[in-house]
Amino acid sequence: MLKPIKNIVRYLIKRRHRKVFREGCVLSRFIARDIRREVMILSAHDIDDGFVTARIRTTNVMYLSRGVVSSHAFGPPQRIAIDQLWVWSGQPWGGLADGTSIADKI
């Protein structure tokens, strides 16, 4: 009884991934209070395996709005797992991914 339900859930997740992660679209999400990540989907060929090829740009919007950093381009294309797209390894308040702050270096 449990296996058919799991299969239905997997089917629905794959269907949603195909709808959301379309080639050419740019997805944006806040991953910390002042950190926004934008993902440009280049290829969704491996979407059923849980991977996409994308270019990623992660920006501290507080630093950007204050003029501390300038806007930068998307990074190089990379194959990344869908469940790792929105993972933030830094502090919940933002800062940099290694847990430091630009203000610490000034």
Side-chain angles (χ1 to χ4, degrees):
M1 179 66 182
L2 200 55
K3 189 167 182 167
I5 294 173
K6 285 183 181 181
N7 288 338
I8 291 171
V9 170
R10 284 188 193 125
Y11 169 77
L12 292 174
I13 289 172
K14 285 182 182 182
R15 184 175 159 185
R16 176 152 165 59
H17 283 171
R18 283 189 213 107
K19 184 178 180 181
V20 171
F21 299 102
R22 294 183 317 269
E23 293 181 13
C25 71
V26 177
L27 307 171
S28 179
R29 184 182 295 178
F30 277 91
I31 55 177
R33 289 189 177 119
D34 57 346
I35 304 296
R36 182 179 64 208
R37 179 164 293 162
E38 296 171 313
V39 178
M40 179 189 299
I41 306 296
L42 300 176
S43 172
H45 180 69
D46 296 329
I47 195 86
D48 289 336
D49 296 330
F51 291 93
V52 292
T53 302
R55 296 177 69 191
I56 299 174
R57 172 172 48 193
T58 305
T59 308
N60 187 317
V61 292
M62 184 178 72
Y63 292 164
L64 186 65
S65 69
R66 301 287 183 197
V68 177
V69 297
S70 61
S71 180
H72 57 278
F74 284 94
Q78 58 183 331
R79 183 177 185 252
I80 188 165
I82 292 173
D83 60 348
Q84 294 296 313
L85 281 176
W86 310 114
V87 173
W88 173 247
S89 60
Q91 298 293 325
W93 49 265
L96 301 173
D98 61 1
T100 62
S101 173
I102 290 180
D104 294 340
K105 298 175 184 175
I106 296 177

XYZ file of all heavy atoms in Angstrom:
855
model
N 0.826 -1.203 0.000
C 0.000 0.000 0.000
C 0.864 1.258 0.000
O 0.501 2.245 -0.605
C -0.911 -0.031 1.234
C -1.802 1.163 1.369
S -2.973 1.163 0.009
C -3.829 2.639 0.325
N 2.008 1.210 0.654
C 2.856 2.390 0.759
C 3.609 2.683 -0.539
O 3.826 3.842 -0.885
C 3.847 2.200 1.905
C 4.489 3.452 2.469
C 3.419 4.431 2.907
C 5.355 3.096 3.644
N 3.983 1.666 -1.281
C 4.747 1.847 -2.513
C 3.980 2.636 -3.579
O 4.555 3.536 -4.201
C 5.205 0.502 -3.064
C 6.168 0.642 -4.198
C 6.834 -0.656 -4.521
C 7.821 -0.411 -5.640
N 8.715 -1.503 -5.838
N 2.712 2.369 -3.825
C 1.984 3.186 -4.809
C 1.895 4.663 -4.413
O 1.973 5.539 -5.268
C 0.596 2.557 -4.862
C 0.775 1.172 -4.378
C 1.895 1.229 -3.398
N 1.781 4.927 -3.128
C 1.717 6.317 -2.666
C 3.058 7.001 -2.902
O 3.115 8.142 -3.355
C 1.304 6.372 -1.183
C -0.127 5.867 -1.041
C 1.429 7.797 -0.642
C -0.598 5.700 0.376
N 4.164 6.297 -2.624
C 5.492 6.851 -2.876
C 5.695 7.143 -4.353
O 6.271 8.167 -4.721
C 6.580 5.888 -2.389
C 6.754 5.856 -0.901
C 7.902 4.927 -0.536
C 8.101 4.854 0.961
N 9.226 3.976 1.320
N 5.215 6.243 -5.201
C 5.348 6.445 -6.640
C 4.564 7.673 -7.102
O 5.025 8.428 -7.954
C 4.893 5.205 -7.405
C 5.860 4.061 -7.265
O 7.027 4.247 -6.952
N 5.369 2.845 -7.473
N 3.388 7.873 -6.547
C 2.580 9.043 -6.901
C 3.275 10.321 -6.451
O 3.340 11.307 -7.200
C 1.163 8.936 -6.289
C 0.387 7.821 -6.980
C 0.421 10.260 -6.404
C -0.929 7.485 -6.324
N 3.825 10.316 -5.250
C 4.532 11.500 -4.747
C 5.756 11.791 -5.608
O 6.012 12.946 -5.970
C 4.912 11.311 -3.262
C 5.850 12.408 -2.801
C 3.666 11.269 -2.393
N 6.534 10.783 -5.967
C 7.699 10.977 -6.843
C 7.283 11.550 -8.190
O 7.932 12.449 -8.727
C 8.432 9.658 -7.042
C 9.260 9.253 -5.875
C 10.109 8.029 -6.215
N 10.648 7.480 -4.998
C 10.499 6.230 -4.591
N 9.847 5.364 -5.339
N 11.011 5.835 -3.457
N 6.193 11.036 -8.736
C 5.691 11.532 -10.015
C 5.309 13.015 -9.905
O 5.648 13.817 -10.780
C 4.481 10.708 -10.474
C 3.760 11.308 -11.637
C 4.274 11.204 -12.922
C 2.570 12.008 -11.459
C 3.619 11.775 -14.000
C 1.912 12.583 -12.523
C 2.438 12.462 -13.796
O 1.796 13.038 -14.860
N 4.627 13.384 -8.834
C 4.207 14.772 -8.660
C 5.405 15.705 -8.470
O 5.411 16.828 -8.986
C 3.242 14.889 -7.480
C 1.870 14.235 -7.693
C 1.059 14.279 -6.408
C 1.127 14.901 -8.833
N 6.420 15.255 -7.747
C 7.628 16.065 -7.553
C 8.352 16.269 -8.883
O 8.764 17.385 -9.218
C 8.544 15.415 -6.497
C 7.910 15.542 -5.113
C 9.929 16.056 -6.516
C 8.624 14.768 -4.031
N 8.512 15.201 -9.662
C 9.169 15.323 -10.963
C 8.384 16.244 -11.892
O 8.965 17.057 -12.619
C 9.337 13.948 -11.612
C 10.436 13.130 -10.993
C 10.585 11.805 -11.707
C 11.664 10.960 -11.067
N 11.847 9.694 -11.790
N 7.080 16.146 -11.853
C 6.229 16.991 -12.687
C 6.388 18.462 -12.306
O 6.490 19.331 -13.166
C 4.783 16.542 -12.536
C 3.820 17.261 -13.395
C 2.448 16.662 -13.273
N 1.446 17.619 -13.693
C 0.175 17.424 -13.604
N -0.289 16.295 -13.102
N -0.675 18.340 -14.010
N 6.442 18.726 -11.006
C 6.642 20.103 -10.535
C 8.020 20.619 -10.923
O 8.158 21.766 -11.344
C 6.453 20.171 -9.028
C 6.735 21.547 -8.457
C 5.968 21.809 -7.213
N 6.375 22.911 -6.408
C 6.439 24.176 -6.780
N 6.161 24.508 -7.997
N 6.785 25.120 -5.936
N 9.038 19.782 -10.791
C 10.387 20.194 -11.182
C 10.446 20.553 -12.660
O 11.075 21.545 -13.041
C 11.405 19.097 -10.867
C 11.753 19.028 -9.417
N 12.496 18.002 -8.891
C 11.479 19.832 -8.364
C 12.655 18.182 -7.598
N 12.035 19.290 -7.262
N 9.798 19.755 -13.494
C 9.787 20.048 -14.928
C 9.096 21.377 -15.221
O 9.473 22.086 -16.152
C 9.100 18.935 -15.707
C 9.965 17.725 -15.889
C 9.315 16.731 -16.855
N 9.657 15.388 -16.454
C 8.845 14.518 -15.878
N 7.585 14.839 -15.675
N 9.265 13.331 -15.523
N 8.092 21.712 -14.443
C 7.357 22.958 -14.646
C 8.156 24.166 -14.154
O 8.198 25.204 -14.806
C 6.016 22.886 -13.916
C 5.143 24.081 -14.129
C 3.811 23.923 -13.427
C 2.938 25.134 -13.653
N 1.661 25.025 -12.974
N 8.803 24.039 -13.000
C 9.512 25.162 -12.391
C 10.877 25.391 -13.044
O 11.245 26.528 -13.355
C 9.678 24.931 -10.875
C 10.587 25.973 -10.258
C 8.322 24.939 -10.193
N 11.646 24.343 -13.251
C 13.012 24.462 -13.743
C 13.061 24.304 -15.266
O 13.616 23.361 -15.796
C 13.913 23.426 -13.062
C 13.988 23.594 -11.580
C 13.271 22.764 -10.738
C 14.742 24.599 -11.021
C 13.328 22.924 -9.368
C 14.807 24.771 -9.657
C 14.091 23.936 -8.822
N 12.496 25.274 -15.958
C 12.499 25.273 -17.422
C 13.763 25.960 -17.936
O 14.286 26.876 -17.293
C 11.279 26.020 -17.949
C 9.964 25.342 -17.638
C 8.800 26.116 -18.250
N 8.903 27.564 -18.082
C 8.389 28.243 -17.067
N 7.729 27.619 -16.120
N 8.520 29.546 -17.002
N 14.224 25.537 -19.080
C 15.416 26.130 -19.675
C 15.170 27.599 -19.990
O 14.125 27.976 -20.501
C 15.803 25.377 -20.944
C 16.274 23.975 -20.676
C 16.672 23.242 -21.941
O 16.809 23.886 -22.997
O 16.845 22.023 -21.851
N 16.147 28.430 -19.649
C 16.067 29.855 -19.939
C 15.442 30.706 -18.857
O 15.547 31.928 -18.910
N 14.821 30.106 -17.864
C 14.187 30.917 -16.829
C 15.194 31.262 -15.727
O 16.180 30.575 -15.513
C 12.961 30.230 -16.255
S 13.300 28.811 -15.239
N 14.929 32.371 -15.053
C 15.757 32.813 -13.935
C 14.900 32.757 -12.681
O 13.848 33.396 -12.608
C 16.290 34.246 -14.155
C 17.080 34.711 -12.954
C 17.138 34.307 -15.415
N 15.352 31.979 -11.706
C 14.647 31.844 -10.440
C 15.384 32.649 -9.384
O 16.610 32.702 -9.390
C 14.581 30.378 -10.029
C 14.015 29.403 -11.054
C 14.209 27.981 -10.590
C 12.556 29.698 -11.267
N 14.662 33.259 -8.475
C 15.276 34.074 -7.439
C 14.613 33.761 -6.104
O 13.392 33.600 -6.031
C 15.096 35.554 -7.785
O 15.664 36.357 -6.787
N 15.440 33.694 -5.070
C 14.917 33.403 -3.739
C 15.877 33.964 -2.694
O 17.090 33.953 -2.878
C 14.782 31.893 -3.563
C 14.164 31.495 -2.241
C 14.091 30.006 -2.065
N 13.197 29.402 -3.044
C 12.981 28.098 -3.140
N 13.604 27.268 -2.344
N 12.152 27.624 -4.024
N 15.323 34.460 -1.588
C 16.154 34.860 -0.463
C 16.528 33.599 0.306
O 15.651 32.831 0.705
C 15.416 35.846 0.447
C 15.485 37.259 -0.039
C 14.516 37.760 -0.885
C 16.538 38.067 0.324
C 14.582 39.061 -1.354
C 16.622 39.370 -0.128
C 15.644 39.872 -0.971
N 17.833 33.387 0.523
C 18.299 32.199 1.231
C 18.757 32.543 2.633
O 19.035 31.658 3.438
C 19.406 31.481 0.441
C 20.549 32.422 0.115
C 18.826 30.877 -0.821
C 21.706 31.761 -0.599
N 18.854 33.821 2.942
C 19.096 34.337 4.289
C 18.404 35.695 4.325
O 17.832 36.130 3.323
C 20.591 34.462 4.578
N 18.460 36.363 5.443
C 17.699 37.609 5.569
C 18.084 38.665 4.549
O 17.240 39.413 4.084
C 17.858 38.155 6.982
C 17.126 37.313 7.974
C 17.103 37.969 9.339
N 16.335 37.149 10.246
C 16.822 36.602 11.335
N 18.073 36.800 11.672
N 16.059 35.860 12.098
N 19.357 38.744 4.197
C 19.780 39.753 3.226
C 20.573 39.156 2.062
O 21.247 39.870 1.348
C 20.578 40.853 3.910
C 21.791 40.333 4.662
O 21.871 39.119 4.874
O 22.650 41.147 5.030
N 20.457 37.857 1.859
C 21.160 37.171 0.767
C 20.140 36.658 -0.242
O 19.247 35.896 0.099
C 21.990 35.979 1.292
C 22.965 36.423 2.360
C 22.705 35.288 0.145
C 24.023 37.376 1.888
N 20.301 37.114 -1.493
C 19.413 36.659 -2.559
C 20.230 35.830 -3.548
O 21.312 36.225 -3.965
C 18.776 37.834 -3.289
C 17.807 37.368 -4.385
C 17.142 38.510 -5.093
N 18.150 39.294 -5.795
C 18.033 40.581 -6.061
N 16.976 41.245 -5.661
N 18.976 41.217 -6.707
N 19.700 34.684 -3.906
C 20.342 33.828 -4.903
C 19.470 33.787 -6.138
O 18.269 33.558 -6.065
C 20.555 32.424 -4.363
C 21.205 31.509 -5.403
C 21.757 30.267 -4.820
N 22.884 30.585 -3.959
C 23.365 29.752 -3.049
N 22.818 28.578 -2.881
N 24.383 30.095 -2.311
N 20.103 34.033 -7.287
C 19.427 33.947 -8.570
C 20.049 32.804 -9.353
O 21.271 32.665 -9.389
C 19.577 35.259 -9.339
C 18.901 36.415 -8.646
C 19.228 37.739 -9.275
O 20.402 38.011 -9.537
O 18.281 38.503 -9.504
N 19.207 31.997 -9.952
C 19.643 30.817 -10.685
C 19.099 30.905 -12.104
O 17.890 30.994 -12.303
C 19.120 29.526 -10.001
C 19.529 28.307 -10.789
C 19.603 29.447 -8.570
N 20.009 30.915 -13.087
C 19.614 30.913 -14.490
C 19.747 29.477 -15.007
O 20.843 28.926 -15.067
C 20.523 31.828 -15.320
C 20.170 31.846 -16.792
S 21.381 32.724 -17.805
C 21.316 34.345 -17.113
N 18.633 28.870 -15.355
C 18.618 27.483 -15.813
C 19.071 27.440 -17.273
O 18.460 28.050 -18.137
C 17.210 26.865 -15.676
C 16.681 27.001 -14.247
C 17.222 25.412 -16.134
C 17.468 26.269 -13.215
N 20.146 26.715 -17.532
C 20.659 26.561 -18.890
C 20.161 25.280 -19.536
O 19.848 25.256 -20.720
C 22.187 26.570 -18.885
C 22.845 27.833 -18.329
C 24.345 27.669 -18.299
C 22.448 29.038 -19.151
N 20.122 24.202 -18.748
C 19.683 22.921 -19.287
C 18.988 22.130 -18.182
O 19.473 22.057 -17.057
C 20.880 22.132 -19.814
O 20.489 20.833 -20.166
N 17.864 21.549 -18.533
C 17.124 20.699 -17.601
C 17.109 19.264 -18.113
O 16.164 18.521 -17.887
C 15.711 21.231 -17.426
N 18.182 18.894 -18.797
C 18.266 17.562 -19.404
C 18.214 16.443 -18.355
O 17.602 15.407 -18.579
C 19.553 17.464 -20.233
C 19.738 16.150 -20.903
N 18.944 15.735 -21.951
C 20.606 15.148 -20.660
C 19.328 14.532 -22.324
N 20.340 14.156 -21.568
N 18.847 16.637 -17.199
C 18.906 15.619 -16.145
C 17.907 15.885 -15.022
O 18.127 15.500 -13.883
C 20.311 15.556 -15.550
C 21.350 15.123 -16.551
O 20.988 14.351 -17.457
O 22.511 15.543 -16.435
N 16.804 16.550 -15.326
C 15.831 16.923 -14.301
C 15.237 15.704 -13.599
O 14.983 15.744 -12.398
C 14.726 17.831 -14.896
C 13.927 18.511 -13.798
C 13.785 17.060 -15.783
C 14.511 19.765 -13.324
N 15.062 14.608 -14.317
C 14.499 13.405 -13.693
C 15.475 12.763 -12.712
O 15.063 12.055 -11.798
C 14.084 12.388 -14.753
C 12.851 12.855 -15.522
O 12.090 13.670 -14.971
O 12.672 12.406 -16.663
N 16.775 13.023 -12.888
C 17.785 12.536 -11.946
C 18.012 13.511 -10.801
O 18.795 13.233 -9.888
C 19.109 12.287 -12.674
C 18.986 11.188 -13.714
O 18.154 10.279 -13.516
O 19.713 11.251 -14.720
N 17.379 14.684 -10.851
C 17.487 15.664 -9.783
C 18.588 16.690 -9.998
O 19.018 17.346 -9.052
N 19.048 16.870 -11.239
C 20.117 17.817 -11.538
C 19.693 18.778 -12.635
O 18.893 18.439 -13.506
C 21.381 17.074 -12.014
C 22.047 16.283 -10.945
C 21.743 14.946 -10.760
C 22.979 16.862 -10.104
C 22.353 14.199 -9.774
C 23.600 16.132 -9.121
C 23.284 14.801 -8.954
N 20.261 19.990 -12.594
C 20.106 20.967 -13.663
C 21.479 21.579 -13.935
O 22.359 21.555 -13.085
C 19.105 22.093 -13.307
C 17.700 21.573 -13.208
C 19.502 22.819 -12.045
N 21.637 22.118 -15.121
C 22.827 22.896 -15.439
C 22.418 24.352 -15.350
O 21.467 24.776 -16.012
C 23.351 22.563 -16.850
O 23.622 21.164 -16.910
C 24.614 23.341 -17.152
N 23.118 25.103 -14.487
C 22.692 26.467 -14.212
C 23.888 27.373 -13.959
O 24.986 26.909 -13.664
C 21.772 26.495 -12.996
N 23.620 28.663 -14.076
C 24.576 29.687 -13.666
C 23.968 30.359 -12.442
O 22.785 30.696 -12.428
C 24.801 30.686 -14.791
C 25.436 30.028 -16.010
C 25.598 30.979 -17.140
N 26.620 31.958 -16.790
C 26.851 33.064 -17.486
N 26.131 33.337 -18.543
N 27.792 33.903 -17.111
N 24.780 30.568 -11.407
C 24.271 31.048 -10.121
C 24.926 32.379 -9.768
O 26.122 32.579 -9.978
C 24.542 30.012 -9.018
C 23.814 28.712 -9.361
C 24.117 30.541 -7.657
C 24.120 27.579 -8.429
N 24.094 33.277 -9.207
C 24.589 34.550 -8.685
C 24.011 34.723 -7.286
O 22.794 34.709 -7.099
C 24.142 35.689 -9.601
C 24.452 37.052 -9.035
C 24.203 38.185 -9.990
N 22.902 38.101 -10.641
C 22.563 38.828 -11.694
N 23.418 39.654 -12.231
N 21.359 38.721 -12.224
N 24.873 34.876 -6.306
C 24.459 35.086 -4.922
C 24.888 36.491 -4.513
O 26.061 36.843 -4.630
C 25.089 34.037 -3.995
O 24.754 32.732 -4.485
C 24.574 34.182 -2.571
N 23.929 37.282 -4.035
C 24.182 38.687 -3.749
C 23.697 39.047 -2.350
O 22.604 38.660 -1.950
C 23.433 39.581 -4.762
O 23.752 39.155 -6.076
C 23.799 41.025 -4.590
N 24.513 39.800 -1.626
C 24.083 40.383 -0.367
C 23.403 41.698 -0.720
O 24.063 42.664 -1.099
C 25.281 40.610 0.554
C 24.863 41.065 1.929
O 23.983 41.909 2.077
N 25.496 40.511 2.951
N 22.083 41.735 -0.639
C 21.335 42.908 -1.095
C 21.574 44.121 -0.211
O 21.486 45.256 -0.681
C 19.822 42.610 -1.227
C 19.573 41.639 -2.344
C 19.242 42.096 0.060
N 21.904 43.923 1.053
C 22.202 45.060 1.921
C 23.502 45.724 1.471
O 23.575 46.943 1.348
C 22.326 44.611 3.376
C 22.540 45.763 4.334
S 22.616 45.251 6.039
C 24.193 44.438 6.083
N 24.533 44.932 1.195
C 25.792 45.487 0.702
C 25.588 46.158 -0.652
O 26.158 47.213 -0.928
C 26.852 44.399 0.562
C 27.338 43.796 1.858
C 28.026 42.597 1.849
C 27.136 44.410 3.081
C 28.493 42.021 3.021
C 27.586 43.847 4.260
C 28.271 42.652 4.226
O 28.735 42.088 5.380
N 24.775 45.550 -1.512
C 24.524 46.093 -2.839
C 23.779 47.424 -2.751
O 24.121 48.388 -3.435
C 23.727 45.088 -3.673
C 23.483 45.430 -5.127
C 24.799 45.469 -5.885
C 22.553 44.416 -5.760
N 22.774 47.509 -1.885
C 21.987 48.737 -1.772
C 22.784 49.883 -1.154
O 22.535 51.039 -1.448
C 20.719 48.478 -0.955
O 21.050 48.241 0.402
N 23.760 49.572 -0.325
C 24.599 50.600 0.311
C 25.818 50.958 -0.533
O 26.589 51.834 -0.159
C 25.076 50.132 1.684
C 23.968 49.803 2.644
C 23.285 51.041 3.126
N 22.270 50.662 4.100
C 21.297 51.438 4.466
N 21.190 52.635 3.955
N 20.414 51.035 5.330
N 26.015 50.248 -1.633
C 27.138 50.547 -2.506
C 28.457 49.962 -2.043
O 29.514 50.332 -2.551
N 28.444 49.044 -1.091
C 29.669 48.429 -0.600
C 30.241 47.468 -1.632
O 31.452 47.353 -1.794
C 29.418 47.695 0.736
C 30.656 46.981 1.229
C 28.909 48.673 1.783
N 29.373 46.769 -2.356
C 29.794 45.874 -3.436
C 29.049 46.273 -4.701
O 27.990 46.895 -4.643
C 29.514 44.382 -3.106
C 30.314 43.930 -1.910
C 28.046 44.130 -2.894
N 29.610 45.908 -5.830
C 28.924 46.180 -7.091
C 28.214 44.917 -7.562
O 28.551 43.813 -7.151
C 29.933 46.642 -8.147
O 30.886 45.632 -8.360
N 27.256 45.106 -8.428
C 26.522 43.970 -8.976
C 27.462 43.169 -9.868
O 28.256 43.732 -10.617
C 25.330 44.484 -9.782
O 24.620 43.406 -10.326
N 27.390 41.869 -9.780
C 28.264 41.022 -10.577
C 27.440 40.094 -11.459
O 26.247 39.916 -11.251
C 29.222 40.227 -9.677
C 28.536 39.373 -8.666
N 28.067 39.862 -7.474
C 28.236 38.058 -8.681
C 27.496 38.881 -6.799
N 27.582 37.779 -7.499
N 28.110 39.509 -12.430
C 27.443 38.636 -13.391
C 27.233 37.255 -12.794
O 27.759 36.928 -11.728
C 28.288 38.532 -14.662
N 26.478 36.439 -13.506
C 26.277 35.056 -13.094
C 27.602 34.309 -13.186
O 28.457 34.638 -14.012
C 25.241 34.374 -13.999
C 23.825 34.762 -13.704
C 23.210 35.778 -14.394
C 23.113 34.100 -12.721
C 21.903 36.133 -14.125
C 21.797 34.438 -12.444
C 21.197 35.463 -13.150
N 27.753 33.309 -12.366
C 28.954 32.484 -12.372
C 28.986 31.560 -13.573
O 28.094 31.573 -14.418
N 30.005 30.711 -13.645
C 30.114 29.794 -14.775
C 29.041 28.705 -14.713
O 28.518 28.401 -13.641
C 31.512 29.190 -14.611
C 31.789 29.309 -13.149
C 31.107 30.559 -12.704
N 28.724 28.104 -15.844
C 27.744 27.010 -15.841
C 28.235 25.837 -15.000
O 29.415 25.493 -15.015
C 27.644 26.601 -17.306
C 28.172 27.749 -18.073
C 29.173 28.420 -17.195
N 27.331 25.260 -14.246
C 27.666 24.107 -13.421
C 26.464 23.187 -13.302
O 25.332 23.634 -13.329
C 28.162 24.531 -12.046
C 27.174 25.374 -11.253
C 27.747 25.827 -9.930
O 28.575 25.162 -9.345
N 27.310 26.985 -9.460
N 26.754 21.918 -13.169
C 25.698 20.921 -12.950
C 25.504 20.830 -11.449
O 26.444 20.534 -10.708
C 26.120 19.574 -13.534
C 25.064 18.510 -13.417
C 25.551 17.240 -14.100
N 24.526 16.229 -14.113
C 24.554 15.134 -13.365
N 25.567 14.908 -12.559
N 23.576 14.259 -13.438
N 24.298 21.079 -11.001
C 24.038 21.134 -9.562
C 22.746 20.393 -9.245
O 21.806 20.392 -10.038
C 23.973 22.609 -9.080
C 23.892 22.685 -7.563
C 22.855 23.363 -9.737
C 24.184 24.048 -7.011
N 22.728 19.774 -8.075
C 21.530 19.070 -7.619
C 20.462 20.089 -7.236
O 20.759 21.140 -6.661
C 21.852 18.182 -6.434
N 19.226 19.782 -7.565
C 18.123 20.693 -7.281
C 17.989 20.956 -5.785
O 17.735 22.085 -5.370
C 16.810 20.131 -7.858
C 16.877 20.158 -9.388
C 15.605 20.919 -7.374
C 15.730 19.479 -10.062
N 18.212 19.941 -4.967
C 18.074 20.138 -3.523
C 19.226 20.944 -2.922
O 19.156 21.330 -1.764
C 17.911 18.799 -2.800
C 19.092 17.875 -3.005
O 19.944 18.143 -3.864
O 19.150 16.851 -2.289
N 20.255 21.263 -3.706
C 21.374 22.087 -3.230
C 21.324 23.523 -3.752
O 22.174 24.338 -3.382
C 22.704 21.447 -3.645
C 22.973 20.119 -2.994
C 23.106 20.250 -1.490
O 23.813 21.127 -1.001
N 22.400 19.409 -0.759
N 20.348 23.847 -4.579
C 20.264 25.188 -5.155
C 20.090 26.274 -4.107
O 20.642 27.354 -4.222
C 19.105 25.266 -6.152
C 19.334 24.678 -7.526
C 18.055 24.757 -8.339
C 20.453 25.391 -8.242
N 19.314 26.017 -3.104
C 18.962 27.053 -2.131
C 19.633 26.850 -0.782
O 19.187 27.388 0.228
C 17.444 27.122 -1.977
C 16.755 27.206 -3.296
C 15.937 26.259 -3.839
C 16.828 28.261 -4.256
N 15.496 26.666 -5.074
C 16.027 27.890 -5.358
C 17.493 29.470 -4.303
C 15.874 28.697 -6.476
C 17.335 30.267 -5.427
C 16.537 29.883 -6.490
N 20.721 26.098 -0.731
C 21.444 25.858 0.527
C 22.384 27.027 0.783
O 23.164 27.420 -0.084
C 22.228 24.527 0.457
C 23.102 24.357 1.685
C 21.267 23.364 0.330
N 22.332 27.576 1.991
C 23.204 28.677 2.407
C 24.059 28.189 3.558
O 23.555 27.735 4.581
C 22.373 29.879 2.821
C 23.163 30.993 3.406
C 23.138 31.442 4.693
C 24.106 31.831 2.726
N 23.988 32.490 4.862
C 24.602 32.752 3.657
C 24.589 31.887 1.422
C 25.552 33.718 3.320
C 25.523 32.840 1.095
C 25.986 33.748 2.040
N 25.371 28.298 3.396
C 26.281 27.792 4.422
C 26.715 28.864 5.410
O 27.412 28.571 6.376
C 27.522 27.180 3.761
O 28.185 28.165 2.986
N 26.298 30.112 5.178
C 26.682 31.203 6.071
C 25.724 31.363 7.238
O 24.906 30.494 7.541
N 25.841 32.491 7.884
C 25.014 32.814 9.036
C 23.591 33.154 8.592
O 23.379 33.602 7.461
C 25.600 34.015 9.789
C 26.978 33.766 10.335
C 26.953 32.729 11.438
O 26.018 32.644 12.209
N 28.004 31.924 11.502
N 22.576 32.980 9.461
C 21.203 33.306 9.083
C 20.987 34.797 8.836
O 20.070 35.180 8.136
C 20.370 32.815 10.272
C 21.323 32.609 11.378
C 22.670 32.399 10.788
N 21.862 35.651 9.384
C 21.731 37.086 9.154
C 22.368 37.515 7.850
O 22.296 38.666 7.462
C 22.358 37.882 10.298
C 23.741 37.427 10.662
C 24.052 36.548 11.655
C 24.970 37.760 10.031
N 25.398 36.325 11.675
C 25.992 37.060 10.699
C 25.322 38.578 8.976
C 27.324 37.153 10.341
C 26.652 38.668 8.623
C 27.637 37.963 9.304
N 23.018 36.616 7.153
C 23.626 36.959 5.867
C 25.132 36.988 5.970
O 25.745 36.044 6.427
N 25.737 38.095 5.586
C 27.192 38.159 5.547
C 27.711 37.410 4.338
O 27.101 37.390 3.286
N 28.854 36.771 4.495
C 29.442 35.988 3.420
C 29.240 34.506 3.704
O 28.959 34.104 4.829
C 30.926 36.316 3.278
C 31.231 37.789 2.978
C 32.728 38.036 3.022
C 30.661 38.196 1.642
N 29.430 33.685 2.689
C 29.172 32.251 2.830
C 30.089 31.585 3.843
O 29.736 30.580 4.448
C 29.320 31.559 1.479
N 31.262 32.157 4.085
C 32.174 31.555 5.057
C 31.904 32.031 6.484
O 32.638 31.693 7.408
C 33.630 31.820 4.680
C 33.971 33.301 4.639
O 33.083 34.132 4.919
O 35.132 33.625 4.333
N 30.848 32.812 6.685
C 30.458 33.252 8.024
C 31.055 34.591 8.429
O 30.808 35.078 9.525
N 31.869 35.208 7.552
C 32.464 36.497 7.871
C 31.601 37.606 7.277
O 30.574 37.354 6.661
C 33.895 36.581 7.294
O 33.820 36.470 5.870
C 34.772 35.499 7.867
N 32.040 38.816 7.473
C 31.328 39.985 6.955
C 32.318 40.896 6.262
O 33.489 40.947 6.641
C 30.647 40.718 8.106
O 30.083 41.934 7.664
N 31.867 41.620 5.271
C 32.723 42.610 4.628
C 33.099 43.696 5.635
O 34.193 44.224 5.607
C 32.028 43.222 3.385
C 31.954 42.169 2.279
C 32.747 44.444 2.883
C 31.296 42.635 1.011
N 32.201 43.994 6.561
C 32.473 45.000 7.568
C 33.644 44.615 8.464
O 34.347 45.464 8.992
C 31.230 45.235 8.424
N 33.901 43.311 8.647
C 35.038 42.867 9.445
C 36.367 43.235 8.790
O 37.380 43.409 9.459
C 35.004 41.347 9.641
C 33.828 40.904 10.484
O 33.270 41.753 11.219
O 33.454 39.713 10.386
N 36.377 43.349 7.461
C 37.604 43.604 6.722
C 37.878 45.086 6.540
O 38.947 45.477 6.090
C 37.517 42.929 5.351
C 37.382 41.421 5.472
C 37.164 40.772 4.141
C 36.928 39.282 4.337
N 36.602 38.592 3.119
N 36.931 45.928 6.896
C 37.096 47.381 6.721
C 37.763 47.970 7.940
O 37.541 47.677 9.033
C 35.746 48.073 6.446
C 35.202 47.553 5.128
C 35.881 49.560 6.421
C 33.834 48.090 4.767
